[in-house]
Amino acid sequence: MADSLFTKIINKQIPAEVVYEDDLCFAIKDINPQAPVHLLLIPKKPLDRLSNAAADDQALLGHLMLVVGKLTRQLKIDGAFRLAINNGAEAGQSVFHLHLHILAGRPFHWPPG
Ligand code: AMP
């Protein structure tokens, strides 16, 4: 299977502004930000979407959640941020490599519309 856009970014074939990296995941600034802070937290494992995660991804998914906490505390946005995962094209997914959108710096409404 061809490498995803995000695999190409982590392999430095495509440039991006990397703001966090560890053994399992990395975070970049979204190229088309929808809020003053818009990061994408991406597992290095190229899982295509959340609904295809398996039991052996449990630790990875938990790790991503803990990194969200760490990153948002570091950026001092932990008081108010939105976390979003678009799963499937009809839900707005355009890059088929799991990623968590972390958005902050403006009001967010619910329901999102
Ligand atoms: P989604 O639509 O949920 O799959 O999100 C994909 C996100 O990737 C979008 O918010 C895009 O703006 C973002 N994106 C696409 N290409 C790049 C890139 N080269 N660097 C950073 N973000 C990107």
Side-chain angles (χ1 to χ4, degrees):
M1 208 174 76
D3 283 347
S4 74
L5 170 68
F6 295 148
T7 295
K8 288 179 180 164
I9 286 176
I10 200 57
N11 290 337
K12 303 196 186 318
Q13 295 166 271
I14 293 177
E17 205 168 332
V18 178
V19 298
Y20 175 85
E21 182 174 0
D22 64 27
D23 288 349
L24 297 177
C25 65
F26 62 105
I28 60 173
K29 291 190 179 178
D30 196 293
I31 205 169
N32 182 22
Q34 302 302 309
V37 178
H38 187 171
L39 303 179
L40 302 174
L41 179 61
I42 305 161
K44 291 182 177 176
K45 177 178 175 177
L47 186 59
D48 66 339
R49 59 183 186 177
L50 181 65
S51 56
N52 285 334
D56 66 357
D57 294 313
Q58 183 169 341
L60 174 62
L61 296 179
H63 179 75
L64 292 171
M65 290 298 148
L66 291 176
V67 171
V68 169
K70 185 163 136 178
L71 263 177
T72 55
R73 283 191 301 276
Q74 276 175 5
L75 295 169
K76 302 195 188 315
I77 56 167
D78 52 311
F81 64 88
R82 177 159 290 175
L83 187 62
I85 297 174
N86 297 324
N87 185 96
E90 285 180 30
Q93 186 175 5
S94 60
V95 179
F96 290 86
H97 179 148
L98 177 64
H99 50 285
L100 286 61
H101 295 261
I102 303 170
L103 300 128
R106 68 166 172 83
F108 295 98
H109 304 289
W110 194 265

